[in-house]
Amino acid sequence: MQNPELWNDRERAKNLTQELSLLQTEINEFDQLENETNLEVLSKKLKEKEFQVFLSGKYDKGNAALSIYSGAGGQDAQDWSAMLLRMYLRYSDRRGWKTRIIDESFGDPGPEGRIGVKSVTIEIKGPYAYGFLKKETGVHRLVRISPFSAQSLRHTSFALVEVLPEISSQEEQELEIKPDELRVDVYKSSGPGGQNVNKRMTAVRITHLPTKITVAAQAERSHAQNKEQAMKLLYAKLYKLKEQEKAKTLAELKGKAVSIEWGNQIRSYVLHPYKMVKDLRTNIETSNAENVLEGDLEEFIEAELKA
């Protein structure tokens, strides 16, 4: 870090600065453990440090991008996506992470001013954000009395959650994308109910033609900044696709059928006729559904990572 030539390569300098910050934080945490005199606090902090052993993946220490897509079911599914967005924002806040909505497509206005979400992508910055959230990828199912039903009928809604790591510029270069493989659409960013909140054409949607992967960004003020943000998401999606293909090939070589699709249902949230949130992978469950929807996800996330 003291080498003045380091800053000739700004990307490498930025990565090293982040790595140094993480290492300094880790050392400080161990120093605090040595000086801790409260047994209860010490036990809790030791458990947290022990758990970091399960977060040793390539990108586990870094930032994440979390996307939510409403499934079939109209307003109920859109409302469920908005509930999940709130849940993950609350969970991130509990962990001290910074969040920012990169792109959001609002649903149709409903009763009591409820406006759901068709799709949304949030940037989550903080230590181990990707590591903790990566296993949230999958389909989340909600059962409740529909607030949109005049007959108060029970309704089942689905939403897909996708979590991507923040990949390095080196990996981006390895995933060479040719300009003629991209279709770039520019449009006005929109607000709740479909209204335009920006008169300028600054929002960007990019489609990668060979894979049909589509990404979008509208949080920045300029077209160029939104395009840069969208490209980062595209690189992350292509990287994850590449990793999935590797895993599939490895599974075939081992002769073992391993599903690596994003579409698998991972968790059920039941609010009627009883209250229960159950993870279908670990069988962890709780009747305190309200707390879970307020961001109390620690038990579920820790169990899945340890599994």
Side-chain angles (χ1 to χ4, degrees), residues 16-189:
L16 280 174
T17 302
Q18 290 174 344
E19 186 181 356
L20 176 64
S21 178
L22 277 171
L23 291 170
Q24 287 174 332
T25 300
E26 212 163 317
I27 290 168
N28 291 337
E29 286 173 352
F30 278 108
D31 287 341
Q32 289 169 12
L33 286 176
E34 287 183 343
N35 298 324
E36 184 59 64
T37 55
N38 185 313
L39 210 65
E40 189 177 343
V41 174
L42 177 62
S43 176
K44 183 181 177 183
K45 287 185 176 180
L46 275 173
K47 185 182 175 185
E48 289 175 359
K49 294 306 294 179
E50 182 185 38
F51 186 70
Q52 287 180 6
V53 172
F54 297 97
L55 298 170
S56 56
K58 186 174 182 180
Y59 291 104
D60 284 358
K61 290 184 178 182
N63 304 323
L66 185 147
S67 297
I68 304 167
Y69 306 93
S70 67
Q75 286 181 307
D76 276 287
Q78 293 166 11
D79 191 55
W80 173 222
S81 294
M83 291 166 66
L84 284 173
L85 171 62
R86 173 189 164 92
M87 182 181 78
Y88 286 117
L89 289 175
R90 293 271 171 130
Y91 175 71
S92 298
D93 190 52
R94 282 170 177 246
R95 300 210 68 93
W97 298 333
K98 293 180 179 178
T99 57
R100 185 174 68 123
I101 293 178
I102 296 171
D103 184 62
E104 190 169 17
S105 175
F106 293 95
D108 306 314
E112 302 173 6
R114 297 173 83 116
I115 296 178
V117 173
K118 292 179 181 176
S119 65
V120 61
T121 298
I122 56 175
E123 178 184 72
I124 304 173
K125 289 186 175 288
Y128 294 96
Y130 179 68
F132 277 102
L133 289 168
K134 63 184 179 183
K135 298 291 186 178
E136 290 298 289
T137 290
V139 171
H140 296 243
R141 170 179 174 262
L142 173 70
V143 180
R144 63 172 172 174
I145 296 294
S146 170
F148 305 96
S149 169
Q151 294 82 27
S152 296
L153 298 175
R154 193 169 66 174
H155 194 92
T156 301
S157 305
F158 297 90
L160 173 66
V161 173
E162 176 190 19
V163 184
L164 299 169
E166 183 181 80
I167 67 171
S168 67
S169 57
Q170 184 177 344
E171 259 104 16
E172 288 182 1
Q173 290 170 8
E174 291 173 6
L175 292 165
E176 183 184 358
I177 299 176
K178 297 174 183 176
D180 60 2
E181 294 178 340
L182 301 177
R183 187 179 75 234
V184 181
D185 299 308
V186 182
Y187 58 101
K188 294 177 183 177
S189 56

Side-chain angles (χ1 to χ4, degrees), residues 266-269 276-287 292 296-307:
I266 64 166
R267 194 174 299 142
S268 281
Y269 307 71
M276 179 72 70
V277 180
K278 181 174 182 177
D279 195 288
L280 305 177
R281 302 162 296 180
T282 61
N283 289 323
I284 293 290
E285 61 182 50
T286 178
S287 58
V292 174
D296 186 5
L297 293 170
E298 281 81 3
E299 187 178 10
F300 292 99
I301 286 176
E302 287 186 15
E304 177 54 30
L305 288 173
K306 286 180 178 179

Side-chain angles (χ1 to χ4, degrees), residues 189-294:
S189 56
S190 62
Q195 74 219 42
N196 287 324
V197 295
N198 187 347
K199 293 182 180 179
R200 298 174 61 206
M201 304 281 278
T202 57
V204 174
R205 183 185 298 109
I206 299 175
T207 304
H208 184 243
L209 299 175
T211 60
K212 302 296 188 291
I213 290 174
T214 300
V215 292
Q218 58 175 297
E220 305 293 351
R221 290 177 177 270
S222 74
H223 161 260
Q225 289 173 314
N226 281 321
K227 185 178 179 182
E228 183 181 353
Q229 186 74 61
M231 285 300 295
K232 282 183 176 294
L233 287 173
L234 178 59
Y235 277 117
K237 286 203 175 199
L238 289 173
Y239 173 80
K240 193 157 188 176
L241 183 64
K242 184 180 175 183
E243 292 298 298
Q244 284 182 318
E245 288 171 351
K246 280 184 186 176
K248 188 176 180 181
T249 302
L250 187 61
E252 288 170 353
L253 288 171
K254 288 181 177 180
K256 186 178 178 182
V258 178
S259 176
I260 57 169
E261 299 299 320
W262 292 340
N264 292 333
Q265 186 177 312
I266 64 166
R267 194 174 299 142
S268 281
Y269 307 71
V270 180
L271 302 182
H272 184 84
Y274 54 87
K275 292 187 178 178
M276 179 72 70
V277 180
K278 181 174 182 177
D279 195 288
L280 305 177
R281 302 162 296 180
T282 61
N283 289 323
I284 293 290
E285 61 182 50
T286 178
S287 58
N288 200 337
E290 288 88 353
N291 270 20
V292 174
L293 292 172
E294 285 293 319

